[in-house]
């Protein structure tokens, strides 16, 4: 007679199937906000679906040892937004900086740097991979985005994307799969010090499973939405608006 499946085997199997179902039920987790036409669109969807299946158990991106930290973490792209509102906050050492968290949350809030630092924090030593051909390892400290949304009373049932805006006019939308990941943090520290200006002071996003351009610097606001339609060109972010991949898994 065939052995009945042990309880442990059953649970392990149920867990694996369950985590696939979790992604599987939510077809959105396989698709970018807007699917491009032609072969690029096909490859976008295949890449995203494959990676999302592989990542369905939400594993952590590799974390490194302190000894591997890059001595001078490079600065890249915009290193000092010239916008007046940013310059005035900078000259006041960001004492007046506030991060509004609104849209489809239950209790919109506006967080000071102190407020953000009082939330549960996470420190992670990870590799930043820029799509333009360089990488570096840094130790980031910040508040998980999930904790920030919790502080805003959580999101409503319609919530599908978190849109991050920056002082230099960038924006990106992230779907809930990446939003709830434990390594998705609003970082205010690099290598044990305040986040330097060139690296996105006072606060930048770290989404460790994505390449460089999704890791927005100089955060200005956070907005939870049900759709990316009507935001920029509707593709889900400033980079995909100019034909980079929206799903930019590193
Ligand atoms: N607001 C904003 N965020 C940004 C950029 C930018 O120009 N503006 N550049 C992106 C790119 S392409 C990279 S590689 C990283 C660079 O981060 P670093 O300056 O800390 O190296 O920031 C990303 N986030
Ligand atoms: Mo980049």
């Amino acid at each position: 007679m065939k052995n009945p499946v042990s309880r442990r085997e059953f649970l392990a199997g149920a867990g694996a199937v369950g985590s696939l179902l979790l992604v599987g039920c939510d077809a959105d987790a396989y698709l970018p906000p807007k699917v491009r036409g032609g072969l690029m669109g096909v490859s976008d969807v295949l890449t995203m679906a494959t990676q999302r299946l592989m990542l369905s158990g939400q594993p952590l991106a590799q974390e490194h040892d302190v000894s591997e930290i890059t001595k001078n973490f490079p600065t890249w792209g915009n290193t000092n937004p010239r916008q007046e509102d940013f310059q005035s906050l900078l000259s006041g050492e960001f004492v007046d900086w506030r991060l509004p968290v609104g849209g489809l949350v239950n209790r919109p809030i506006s967080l000071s740097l102190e407020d953000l630092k009082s939330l549960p924090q996470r420190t992670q030593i990870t590799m930043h991979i820029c799509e333009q051909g360089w990488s570096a390892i840094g130790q980031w400290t910040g508040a998980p985005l999930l904790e920030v949304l919790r502080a805003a009373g959580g999101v409503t049932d319609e919530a599908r994307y978190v849109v991050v805006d920056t002082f230099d006019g960038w924006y990106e939308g992230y779907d809930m799969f990446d939003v709830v990941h434990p390594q998705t943090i609003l970082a205010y520290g690099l290598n044990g010090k305040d986040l330097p200006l060139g690296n996105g002071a006072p606060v930048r996003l770290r989404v460790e499973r994505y390449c460089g351009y999704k890791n927005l610097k100089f955060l200005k606001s956070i907005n939870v939405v049900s759709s990316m339609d009507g935001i920029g060109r509707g593709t889900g972010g400033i980079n995909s608006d100019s034909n980079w991949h929206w799903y930019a898994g590193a």
Side-chain angles (χ1 to χ4, degrees), residues 74-76 78 128 130-131 134 168 170 198-199 204 212 215 217:
T75 60
W76 191 265
N78 203 338
H128 176 97
C130 172
E131 63 296 336
W134 60 272
D168 57 342
W170 283 41
N199 301 107
R204 80 173 305 161
N215 289 265
K217 308 194 284 187

Side-chain angles (χ1 to χ4, degrees), residues 73-79 81 128-132 134 140 166-171 190 195 198-200 204 206 211-219 239:
F73 196 96
T75 60
W76 191 265
N78 203 338
T79 52
H128 176 97
I129 301 169
C130 172
E131 63 296 336
Q132 289 165 89
W134 60 272
W140 309 97
T166 75
F167 282 99
D168 57 342
W170 283 41
Y171 84 97
L190 172 59
L195 185 66
N199 301 107
R204 80 173 305 161
R206 292 301 309 168
C211 69
Y213 64 77
K214 282 282 199 172
N215 289 265
L216 294 192
K217 308 194 284 187
F218 315 112
L219 299 200
N239 292 289

Side-chain angles (χ1 to χ4, degrees), residues 37-241:
L39 279 179
M40 284 302 270
V42 174
S43 95
D44 282 348
V45 171
L46 286 178
T47 306
M48 182 167 171
T50 311
Q51 293 209 15
R52 281 289 162 88
L53 266 179
M54 279 170 14
L55 298 171
S56 61
Q58 296 280 32
L60 295 182
Q62 186 183 0
E63 295 196 8
H64 295 262
D65 188 74
V66 197
S67 63
E68 296 173 276
I69 292 174
T70 304
K71 286 246 151 41
N72 292 302
F73 196 96
T75 60
W76 191 265
N78 203 338
T79 52
N80 184 356
R82 57 181 158 68
Q83 283 75 2
E84 231 169 83
D85 51 355
F86 182 80
Q87 287 301 318
S88 122
L89 291 169
L90 172 64
S91 62
E93 294 179 349
F94 299 114
V95 171
D96 292 328
W97 177 86
R98 294 289 181 280
L99 184 72
V101 181
L104 300 175
V105 294
N106 290 313
R107 195 178 58 240
I109 46 171
S110 188
L111 299 172
S112 68
L113 213 42
E114 286 314 305
D115 294 335
L116 200 59
K117 288 179 180 173
S118 74
L119 294 178
Q121 63 165 235
R122 188 172 207 284
T123 292
Q124 56 206 35
I125 303 176
T126 53
M127 183 180 287
H128 176 97
I129 301 169
C130 172
E131 63 296 336
Q132 289 165 89
W134 60 272
S135 63
I137 292 175
Q139 182 194 54
W140 309 97
T141 299
L145 180 50
L146 186 58
E147 295 295 342
V148 171
L149 295 175
R150 277 196 182 128
V155 303
T156 69
D157 288 346
E158 305 84 59
R160 273 182 58 191
Y161 301 101
V162 171
V163 182
V164 177
D165 279 286
T166 75
F167 282 99
D168 57 342
W170 283 41
Y171 84 97
E172 280 291 340
Y174 306 86
D175 65 7
M176 291 304 165
F177 186 87
D178 284 318
V179 166
V180 303
H181 190 262
Q183 285 169 322
T184 300
I185 65 171
L186 304 191
Y188 42 73
L190 172 59
N191 299 337
K193 301 205 175 83
D194 285 349
L195 185 66
L197 173 60
N199 301 107
V203 176
R204 80 173 305 161
L205 181 67
R206 292 301 309 168
V207 273
E208 303 296 354
R209 299 181 295 187
Y210 274 134
C211 69
Y213 64 77
K214 282 282 199 172
N215 289 265
L216 294 192
K217 308 194 284 187
F218 315 112
L219 299 200
K220 187 177 184 174
S221 67
I222 289 191
N223 238 301
V224 183
V225 300
S226 58
S227 155
M228 295 303 295
D229 290 348
I231 303 175
R233 296 177 54 199
T235 66
I238 191 168
N239 292 289
S240 47
D241 278 351

